Amino acid sequence: MAKQNKLWAGRFSEPTDKLVEEFNASIGIDQRMALYDIEGSLVHAEMLGRQKIITVEEASTIQRGLQQVATEIKSGVFTFNIEDEDVHMAVERRLTAIVGPIGGKLHTARSRNDQVALDFRLYMRAGLRDVRIAITQLQSVILKLAEEHQGQLMPGYTHLQSAQPVSYAHYIMAYFHMLRRDYERMGDAAERMNYCPLGACALAGTTFPIDREFIASHLGFKAPTENSIDSVADRDFALEFLAAASICMSHLSRLSEELIIHSSAEFAFIELSDGFCTGSSIMPQKKNPDIPELIRGKSGRVYGDLLALLTTMKGLPLAYNKDMQEDKEGVFDALDTLLKSLRIFTAMLERMKINGAKMLESAMRGYSTATDLADYLVRKGLAFREAHHAVGKAVAYAIEQQKMLQELLLSELQTFSALIDEDVYGYITVEASAANRNSYGGTGVDALAVQLKNARSYLKTVTK
Ligand code: ARG
């Protein structure tokens, strides 16, 4: 009978079925956590030595061996084999090959269940840091765009119908604020996951006198987790990241959609640089906004990753179940997708051209100052509902005459309300309409200046 040589094979007499070997292995996915696995093991070995669970010499032999494994991984000479099943066993096997049977002492007072929970958290903690940096880089490009285009007017929309004129800066800053919440969500997730599960062992803790405080603090965690069963059964941190990533992708997707619309010949508000577009193999005139389209598409992929893990976790009995090995692929996929999307977005916005004349012309065409005419009448004493009605009639008349509101003669305007005077023209241009909306958070010149100033100092605090 063929012998088993798996690290756990003591009670087995038959080898793993070949089909099972491949199906059961996670090494193709989890090998990217290898350096975090070693980071955790280095501290675990140190703790075992300090607590005299193994000798100090054994601990340092193990640590030296682990350092060598890390060097081999970084230089690319380390080979990951499917027979090792996962990254934890691959590292341990190589360690034992280097230092001999002492390597086998590393797994004292530890299980792969708490080990994988630790590695995954360490990996995601770094991933969340990268995401937050990428978010702030995108925010700073958005803020720069805004600062450069404060006086640029465009139609603001509801229902994709021209509603009221707004500053382009104000419009694009809406995304800055969405990203700020994304940043905070990622930060919240990072805070909540910052407790160390190592020492939970298989699920019940251990009879060895381990020092979980030592491990937690040396790995930069706030504290050890409080319940060993929850420690190995919990994947909330992965779900929280996926939820935050999904929301962030939804923001990128909405902006993508707008870039696609705004770059169409019909709008022509913006032009994406050639480096972010592709042509058509049949229609020579085409310049397709593939990158925003792809990002819009990839949001679906990240939502899928979230749904997959929610579904995997649902109904799992405590504590660890092998189902949970399915957790990493989607999380890594979401992390890669989100990071790439954020970075490519940053570069794309940096090189995008704004067609100011087209935006302004559009804002002037859509009767977007009708509310200002109504507000004008309200200031002259009319109830808003009546003003709304009178202006509605004026707009219908202007459409019929194929004129903009401000092109109507005073005598024409006065047929809709006797309250209208010559001074009305100071209110119903798009410039006046946008410039005067100075309620806090509004698009008006002064309110916008406050918003941009606050955003600038916010960015300074998060990027320092
Ligand atoms: N590869 C496993 C995973 O990713 C590691 C934990 C295995 N634990 C076990 N009891 N089989 O979930």
Side-chain angles (χ1 to χ4, degrees), residues 8 19 105 122 129 147 175 188 195 226 254 263 301 352 368 378 381 387 390 392 397 405 409-410 420 428 434 452 459:
W8 40 251
L19 286 174
K105 296 200 172 195
L122 288 173
R129 217 174 291 136
E147 286 169 342
Y175 288 98
D188 290 347
Y195 294 87
E226 294 274 340
R254 290 180 80 170
S263 65
R301 174 187 185 116
M352 175 179 88
S368 61
V378 169
Y397 173 80
L405 270 186
L409 302 172
L410 185 58
I420 297 178
I428 59 174
L452 296 184
L459 259 195

Side-chain angles (χ1 to χ4, degrees), residues 84-101:
D84 282 326
E85 194 175 315
D86 60 25
V87 64
H88 322 294
M89 294 204 283
V91 170
E92 189 183 322
R93 180 191 297 284
R94 182 65 192 130
L95 170 71
T96 307
I98 295 168
V99 303

Side-chain angles (χ1 to χ4, degrees), residues 26 30 86 88 112-113 116 320 325 328:
S26 58
D30 60 26
D86 60 25
H88 322 294
R112 273 186 299 156
N113 297 350
V116 71
Y320 178 84
Q325 180 167 282
K328 285 165 234 60

